[in-house]
Amino acid sequence: MKEYLLMFGDTVFGFIALFVLVKALGKTQISSLTPFDFISAVILGELVGNALFEKESGIPEIAFLVALWGILLYITEITTQKYKGSRALLEGRPSIVIHKGLLMFDVLKQNRLDINELQHLLRSKDVFSVEEVEYAVLEVDGTISVLKKPDYQTPTNSDLNVSPTPVKIGRTIISDGEVVWDNLKEAKLTKTWLEEELHRQNVQSVEDVFYAEWQENQQKLFVTLYHNQQKKE
């Protein structure tokens, strides 16, 4: 029983320590995963895992490993920020796989990317034909950025001589049955207005609402109830 309690304590501490480490290092460790970030995550998980299951190791050892690895990653991040020459080595460089509509076979080969994988990446960008692409860049995190040929680009308001309308972000007003008061205040709405609007959409209580969003462009409240029951204007 004592061993299980020790393992429980070590696991909880390791979880908290890793969570704090990711928060301290920033979102880049979990969003754009470069090859170096992937290696870092694997090694850190291995270190903590070994520390958890070795009887001689405990919370002090886990704390030391997490702190040491965090310091090394922090030094690496500072190095890439201050010394541009180190970025290519530690983070990699983007590669142009399609240049002026032509497939760059040598670049694809260098990045171990075959044509089927390239087509998969293009489809993820809503491109279903290589012919549509003017430039395609393989990013360091394995994603692809695409610039279509002019004939295949979506026309903008300026192309159509249409006057643009102001873009306004939707605000979450209710989440999981609770009012997000800060967003309600920023939208210059009141509790009374919210209650009246919910009643107008036949919603009896805030607790019945799974998600509600104030769509400022359309001046309406989008409401979704629990159990996939939806109320619209």
Side-chain angles (χ1 to χ4, degrees), residues 157-176:
N157 286 336
S158 59
D159 296 329
L160 301 174
N161 292 323
V162 176
S163 300
T165 56
V167 177
K168 298 180 181 180
I169 191 171
R171 298 181 185 275
T172 301
I173 301 299
I174 300 175
S175 178
D176 289 322

Side-chain angles (χ1 to χ4, degrees), residues 119 122-133 148:
Q119 288 176 317
L122 290 175
R123 287 194 295 269
S124 69
K125 296 295 183 178
D126 296 327
V127 176
F128 291 85
S129 174
V130 177
E131 184 185 5
E132 300 178 10
V133 182
K148 293 184 179 180

Side-chain angles (χ1 to χ4, degrees), residues 85-202:
S86 65
R87 296 176 186 175
L89 175 64
L90 296 176
E91 297 181 351
R93 289 179 177 174
S95 302
I96 300 178
V97 293
I98 299 180
H99 182 266
K100 292 184 177 179
L102 300 176
L103 286 168
M104 299 290 100
F105 176 77
D106 55 336
V107 179
L108 291 172
K109 184 178 180 180
Q110 180 182 355
N111 286 276
R112 307 292 190 272
L113 187 68
D114 61 43
I115 188 64
N116 292 334
E117 292 172 327
L118 176 61
Q119 288 176 317
H120 169 73
L121 292 172
L122 290 175
R123 287 194 295 269
S124 69
K125 296 295 183 178
D126 296 327
V127 176
F128 291 85
S129 174
V130 177
E131 184 185 5
E132 300 178 10
V133 182
E134 184 74 8
Y135 289 95
V137 180
L138 182 65
E139 306 293 354
V140 295
D141 61 351
T143 60
I144 195 168
S145 300
V146 176
L147 178 63
K148 293 184 179 180
K149 294 177 181 178
D151 290 342
Y152 298 100
Q153 292 180 9
T154 303
T156 63
N157 286 336
S158 59
D159 296 329
L160 301 174
N161 292 323
V162 176
S163 300
T165 56
V167 177
K168 298 180 181 180
I169 191 171
R171 298 181 185 275
T172 301
I173 301 299
I174 300 175
S175 178
D176 289 322
E178 295 184 359
V179 179
V180 184
W181 297 108
D182 290 342
N183 287 351
L184 188 71
K185 183 178 180 181
E186 288 179 5
K188 297 180 180 179
L189 304 173
T190 64
K191 179 182 178 181
T192 302
W193 174 89
L194 178 60
E195 292 174 346
E196 292 176 351
E197 180 64 22
L198 290 177
H199 288 156
R200 193 178 69 82
Q201 299 193 35
N202 297 322

